[in-house]
Amino acid sequence: MPILVVGIDIISEEPKRFAVVSWFNGKLVKHGEFTFYRLIRFIRTKKPDIVVTDNIHELGEYLRKFIHAIPQGTKIVQITGRPGEQKPLWGLAKEHGIRVGDKFNPYEEAKVCALLAARGIGYEVLAFEDEVIIKVSRGRSQGKGGWSQDRYRRRLHNLIQNKVREIEETLKKANIPFDIEIKEKDQGLERGEFRVYASREELAGLIKPMRGGDIEVRIRPVERKTFEFVPLKSERAIRERKSVIVGLDPGITVGIAALDLNGQVLMTYSERNMAISDVIKFISEIGHPIIISTDVNPAPGLVEKIARSFKALLFVPRESLKVEEKNELLRNLGVTVEDDHQRDALTAAYKAYLRLKPKLDHVDAKLRELEIEGKGEEIKALVIQGYNLGEAILKVKEKEKPKEEIRAAEEKEASLDLGPYLEKIKELEKTIEFLEKENQELRAMIEEQRKIIENLETKIATYDEKIREKILRTKEIETKEKRIAYLEKELREAKSIIEKLSKDLVLTKRMHLLELKGSAVPIKVIENLTWKELEELERSTSIKRDDVLYIINPAGAGRSIGEYISEKRVKAIISAKPLPNVIYEVLKENKIPVLYESEIEVKRVDEFAIVDRKELEKVIEEKLNQWKEEEKQKEVQEFLRLIEEYRLKRIKELKKKADEEH
C-alpha cells in the first residue's frame, strides 16, 4: 500500500530552518526551505505516514514541541538507528544501493532519509507510553456566591459525574484496562481522572476531547522518561541483534526472564515499582524479543503493550499455568530463582519455547541437511516471525549476494581477453597522474588565495571595529541629544504648571481672605449633576442647609435629583448651563433660587469657588421677587380666565332663556 514519507534535515540553526523532501508511490518531491512552524503546519495538513530524519536530537529545544505537534498516526523515524548503535547515513545509502549526490546538501540528506524509510529502514521513535491520562473537570468558572450560583455548581458536578460514568462504561465495553481517581462534591463529582493503559490510537473514536462548554474532557498521552527506538521492520532487528524469548510477570513487582532460541536461560530479574519504559529499556539491553510470553490467560494489558512496542509475537498459554506445573518446568530447566515473580516469568518463557521447539528442531535438521552454518539463529527468528523456511534462507542469503556477484565477475573476467582493458588502464593511469599534478597546482593556488583572504578578513575586521566604534559613538550622541530634548520639554511643562499653580495659589489666598472677612460665600462645586457625584460630595463634605451649589454640567439630571436637592434646603443653585426644565420646576416649587453665570460672578480655583456675599444676597432676592411676581401674574391671569369663562357661560344661559320665551 502506498505510503507518504517526509524526510527533513537541518539547513540552519539560528533561525531554525529545514530542508523538506517527500516520497510517495515512487516519486520524490522537493518542497523547499521551511521554518519550524511552517513545517508543523505542512505535516498536520499532509498527515504523512512517516516523518524521518538522520538524528532527531538535531531538533534541539524544538524536539518536545515537534513530538507533541505531529498528528496521531504519523511515525517519527530516526534513520541511522538507536543511540549508541547508529550507522552513518551515507553508509546506509551505499548498503541499500541509493545513489548520493552532494553530501553537504541538506536536500540530499532529506531525500536519502525518505528513500531509506520507504524501504523500511530505520527506527521508530516511541516518545509516549501506551498510557493515556483522561481528565474530566468543569469548563467554566462558577462565579461568586448566591442561591443561583449554588444551583449552577450542583448542576456542573452532576454533569461531571455523568461524563465520568459514560467514559468508564465505554472503557469497560472496549475491554481497555484503567485506573480512576475521583473527587466527590455536592452529591456529584468535582473532577475525575482516568489512567488508561492503552495507546492514543486505541482510544481514537472511543473518547473525544471536549472544550468550551460546561465540562471539559482533556486527553493527554503519558510521555516516556527516555525515548525508545524500535525497528520499522523486525527483520532488520533480527539480523542486527540477538533474538530472545522473553517471559513477563507484571504487577507491583515485575518479573522478567529471557531464553535464547536454543532454550538456554540468559537471565532472570525482578524489581518493585518498575515503569513500563524501564521494562522496555531492560529488555532492549538483552536483545531483540521475538516472543513476549505470559503465564496467565487472558494476557495482562501490560504484557500486550510491551509486545506491541517490540512488534513481537504474544504467547498466551491455553489456560493459566498452575504452581505445580511451574515447579515441574523449573526442575526440567535445572535453574533456581530468587522469587515467585522470576519463577512465573521464566516458566512463561520456557512454556513458549516448548511450544516452538518442534518447529525449531525441524529448522536445525534442514540447515544441517543443506550444510548451512552460522545463520541458524537468524533463520529461526524469521521462521517464528511467519516466513517459511525457504523464504527465511533466501532473506539471509541476500546479504551475501554482493560478494557472490563479485566472485562471479572475477571468474568471468579471467576468461576474457584482457589486452584492450590493460591498455585502457594505462591511459587512465596517465590521466590520473596528470590530474594529480594539476590538483597539486590548484591546491597551491587555493592556499595562496586562502592567505590573501585571511589577510583581507583581518583588514575588514579592523575596519569593521573602527566603524562599529564610530557608529556606537554616533548612536550614543543621538541618544543623549534625544534625552536632552525630552528633559527640556519636561522642564518647560513643569515651569508652565508651576506658573499656573502660583497664580492659583495667589487667587486662592485672596478668596480665602475674602471668606474670612465675611464678604465672600464659599460654594460647593459639582462637575456633573449625577447621583455618583452627589454621593461623593456627601461623603467628602456633605450637603447642608443653606449651602450654595455650583453646577458645571447639569445635562441628563432627572426629577429625583431635583427633589433630593430640595430636601436638603440649600440656599441657592448656580449653574454654568441651563438646567433641565424638570429640575428647574422642582426647585422653583420649593423656592430654591436658580442662578446662572450671566447673573452672578463666580471666582473658582479647581474645586474651590466663592461669590460675593452682597451680590449673592441681592441676586437671590431679585430671583425670589421675580418668581413671586410671576406667581402673582399667573394668579391674575387665572382669575381673569375664570371671569371670562363665567361671562361666556352667563351669555349662553341668557340667550337660551330669551329663545324659550319667544
Side-chain angles (χ1 to χ4, degrees):
M1 185 174 69
I3 62 170
L4 174 61
V5 181
V6 173
I8 62 174
D9 191 55
I10 305 293
I11 293 176
S12 66
E13 289 293 338
E14 290 295 336
K16 208 85 163 179
R17 294 191 177 274
F18 302 84
V20 180
V21 176
S22 69
W23 181 94
F24 180 75
N25 204 19
K27 292 183 181 179
L28 283 166
V29 178
K30 178 181 173 182
H31 293 282
E33 185 175 317
F34 284 39
T35 62
F36 176 75
Y37 293 102
R38 188 184 165 202
L39 174 64
I40 293 299
R41 287 196 298 271
F42 175 78
I43 292 171
R44 283 179 171 171
T45 302
K46 297 294 183 183
K47 293 184 172 61
D49 298 276
I50 293 172
V51 176
V52 58
T53 181
D54 61 335
N55 187 345
I56 61 165
H57 293 289
E58 286 183 353
L59 288 162
E61 62 185 25
Y62 291 97
L63 179 55
R64 291 285 174 185
K65 287 183 185 176
F66 182 78
I67 286 166
H68 282 279
I70 63 167
Q72 186 174 316
T74 297
K75 295 179 180 178
I76 304 172
V77 172
Q78 181 165 292
I79 205 70
T80 51
R82 58 165 55 89
E85 301 175 11
Q86 289 171 270
K87 294 183 178 181
L89 178 64
W90 309 119
L92 284 170
K94 186 177 180 182
E95 180 183 336
H96 294 278
I98 295 173
R99 293 174 61 186
V100 178
D102 182 4
K103 293 183 180 180
F104 298 101
N105 185 345
Y107 291 100
E108 192 69 18
E109 289 197 26
K111 180 194 83 172
V112 170
C113 287
L115 288 171
L116 287 168
R119 297 184 185 190
I121 312 303
Y123 282 71
E124 182 184 352
V125 181
L126 302 180
F128 300 102
E129 301 279 10
D130 279 344
E131 290 182 23
V132 175
I133 302 295
I134 302 174
K135 286 187 178 179
V136 185
S137 59
R138 70 170 185 251
R140 294 193 177 106
S141 174
Q142 294 173 186
K144 296 180 180 178
W147 180 81
S148 61
Q149 293 299 333
D150 289 342
R151 185 177 59 180
Y152 176 61
R153 187 187 68 245
R154 289 193 295 273
R155 176 176 167 272
L156 272 182
H157 293 159
N158 284 329
L159 286 173
I160 292 169
Q161 184 180 48
N162 293 338
K163 178 54 71 173
V164 168
R165 286 175 179 170
E166 180 188 325
I167 293 172
E168 191 173 1
E169 288 299 318
T170 303
L171 293 172
K172 284 179 180 177
K173 284 180 183 177
N175 291 321
I176 296 174
F178 65 90
D179 289 323
I180 182 172
E181 182 181 319
I182 59 174
K183 185 177 180 181
E184 297 179 353
K185 196 162 187 179
D186 294 331
Q187 297 178 346
L189 295 180
E190 187 175 6
R191 65 177 178 84
E193 183 174 320
F194 294 83
R195 180 174 286 267
V196 183
Y197 301 105
S199 62
R200 288 186 295 175
E201 290 76 11
E202 288 177 272
L203 288 180
L206 287 176
I207 298 165
K208 295 180 181 178
M210 292 173 59
R211 288 190 185 181
D214 288 331
I215 59 173
E216 274 190 351
V217 178
R218 293 176 179 267
I219 301 174
R220 175 178 59 83
V222 178
E223 279 194 49
R224 294 174 184 262
K225 293 177 184 175
T226 55
F227 295 154
E228 293 296 330
F229 295 79
V230 297
L232 276 177
K233 284 191 175 179
S234 57
E235 295 95 320
R236 183 176 179 85
I238 287 168
R239 187 167 71 243
E240 294 178 350
R241 308 179 71 229
K242 183 177 183 64
S243 299
V244 293
I245 299 171
V246 173
L248 274 180
D249 177 45
I252 295 174
T253 301
V254 178
I256 307 172
L259 305 178
D260 64 15
L261 299 187
N262 296 316
Q264 297 298 314
V265 179
L266 298 177
M267 57 71 62
T268 57
Y269 181 76
S270 59
E271 184 180 327
R272 282 178 65 83
N273 300 322
M274 202 171 184
I276 295 175
S277 55
D278 295 334
V279 174
I280 291 171
K281 185 177 180 182
F282 186 87
I283 294 170
S284 298
E285 289 172 356
I286 302 167
H288 175 67
I290 296 295
I291 292 175
I292 301 290
S293 58
T294 178
D295 64 331
V296 294
N297 189 336
L302 177 67
V303 178
E304 289 181 356
K305 283 189 288 183
I306 292 175
R308 283 197 302 270
S309 296
F310 285 108
K311 297 182 174 59
L313 297 174
L314 177 64
F315 172 80
V316 183
R318 292 186 180 88
E319 57 183 25
S320 299
L321 300 182
K322 297 177 182 177
V323 175
E324 296 80 6
E325 188 178 357
K326 294 175 186 178
N327 292 334
E328 181 63 28
L329 289 170
L330 279 184
R331 281 194 292 273
N332 292 340
L333 276 169
V335 176
T336 57
V337 292
E338 295 178 8
D339 53 43
D340 292 346
H341 305 288
Q342 293 183 15
R343 177 200 66 192
D344 293 348
L346 182 56
T347 53
Y350 190 52
K351 188 73 175 177
Y353 169 74
L354 292 176
R355 180 77 62 83
L356 293 168
K357 191 173 186 301
K359 184 184 284 189
L360 298 176
D361 290 343
H362 174 70
V363 172
D364 280 332
K366 283 291 182 183
L367 292 179
R368 283 194 298 271
E369 186 181 322
L370 295 170
E371 297 181 352
I372 297 174
E373 297 178 359
K375 300 295 177 183
E377 184 176 314
E378 191 174 335
I379 291 169
K380 285 179 185 179
L382 291 172
V383 169
I384 293 170
Q385 288 279 305
Y387 293 94
N388 62 44
L389 183 57
E391 289 172 340
I393 292 171
L394 284 173
K395 276 199 168 286
V396 170
K397 286 203 166 188
E398 275 179 2
K399 293 186 299 176
E400 300 172 355
K401 208 170 183 181
K403 295 178 181 177
E404 292 172 4
E405 287 175 358
I406 291 166
R407 203 177 297 119
E410 288 173 352
E411 290 172 1
K412 187 176 179 181
E413 189 177 336
S415 63
L416 296 172
D417 181 11
L418 300 177
Y421 295 102
L422 291 170
E423 289 179 8
K424 184 68 176 176
I425 288 168
K426 286 179 182 178
E427 288 178 12
L428 290 171
E429 284 177 346
K430 287 179 182 178
T431 304
I432 289 168
E433 187 179 352
F434 170 76
L435 290 172
E436 283 178 346
K437 288 180 180 178
E438 188 177 10
N439 189 26
Q440 287 176 358
E441 291 173 2
L442 290 170
R443 284 180 182 277
M445 289 173 63
I446 289 168
E447 184 62 27
E448 186 179 347
Q449 293 297 323
R450 188 182 63 78
K451 288 178 181 178
I452 293 170
I453 289 167
E454 284 180 357
N455 187 30
L456 290 172
E457 283 177 345
T458 304
K459 288 181 179 179
I460 289 168
T462 305
Y463 179 74
D464 283 350
E465 187 63 29
K466 290 178 181 177
I467 293 296
R468 193 175 71 84
E469 286 178 3
K470 187 176 179 181
I471 290 168
L472 287 173
R473 201 178 303 114
T474 305
K475 283 185 177 179
E476 189 177 352
I477 291 167
E478 286 177 0
T479 303
K480 287 182 177 178
E481 285 176 348
K482 287 179 182 177
R483 180 65 178 165
I484 289 165
Y486 173 74
L487 291 173
E488 285 177 344
K489 182 184 175 184
E490 279 199 334
L491 182 61
R492 285 195 300 273
E493 290 174 354
K495 283 181 177 178
S496 175
I497 292 167
I498 291 166
E499 187 176 345
K500 181 181 179 302
L501 290 173
S502 298
K503 289 178 180 177
D504 288 349
L505 182 61
V506 170
L507 183 58
T508 304
K509 284 180 178 179
R510 287 176 184 171
M511 290 166 67
H512 187 57
L513 185 61
L514 290 172
E515 186 181 349
L516 291 173
K517 287 180 178 179
S519 60
V521 177
I523 57 179
K524 293 177 179 178
V525 180
I526 300 174
E527 287 289 339
N528 296 290
L529 189 54
T530 62
W531 282 113
K532 183 179 178 182
E533 292 208 16
L534 283 172
E535 288 170 1
E536 287 178 358
L537 184 60
E538 286 281 22
R539 279 196 299 271
S540 58
T541 59
S542 75
I543 301 173
K544 299 186 292 295
R545 185 182 184 89
D546 292 333
D547 277 350
V548 178
L549 302 183
Y550 179 45
I551 300 167
I552 308 301
N553 180 19
R559 183 180 182 85
S560 59
I561 290 179
E563 290 172 348
Y564 178 81
I565 294 172
S566 299
E567 287 173 4
K568 293 291 182 178
R569 306 309 302 165
V570 297
K571 189 171 187 178
I573 298 290
I574 303 173
S575 179
K577 296 179 182 178
L579 283 173
N581 284 334
V582 64
I583 294 182
Y584 186 87
E585 292 300 326
V586 170
L587 296 173
K588 187 176 179 182
E589 286 173 11
N590 289 279
K591 301 295 187 290
I592 296 175
V594 177
L595 312 174
Y596 293 108
E597 284 187 334
S598 58
E599 298 173 307
I600 187 168
E601 183 184 0
V602 178
K603 296 176 182 178
R604 181 187 175 193
V605 179
D606 294 330
E607 301 302 318
F608 183 66
I610 60 168
V611 292
D612 184 84
R613 184 180 292 277
K614 290 181 180 179
E615 186 180 357
L616 177 66
E617 297 292 343
K618 180 183 176 185
V619 173
I620 288 174
E621 186 179 354
E622 289 175 355
K623 179 63 70 173
L624 291 173
N625 289 336
Q626 178 189 335
W627 283 356
K628 192 173 182 182
E629 188 64 31
E630 287 176 358
E631 282 294 321
K632 285 180 181 178
Q633 290 295 326
K634 189 176 179 182
E635 287 173 1
V636 169
Q637 291 296 326
E638 181 65 20
F639 179 73
L640 291 173
R641 185 183 66 78
L642 291 172
I643 291 171
E644 182 65 20
E645 284 180 0
Y646 177 76
R647 188 179 69 80
L648 291 171
K649 184 179 178 183
R650 186 64 181 156
I651 289 170
K652 285 180 182 178
E653 287 175 352
L654 292 171
K655 188 177 179 183
K656 183 179 179 182
K657 187 176 181 182
D659 289 342
E660 287 175 353
E661 288 176 355
H662 287 290

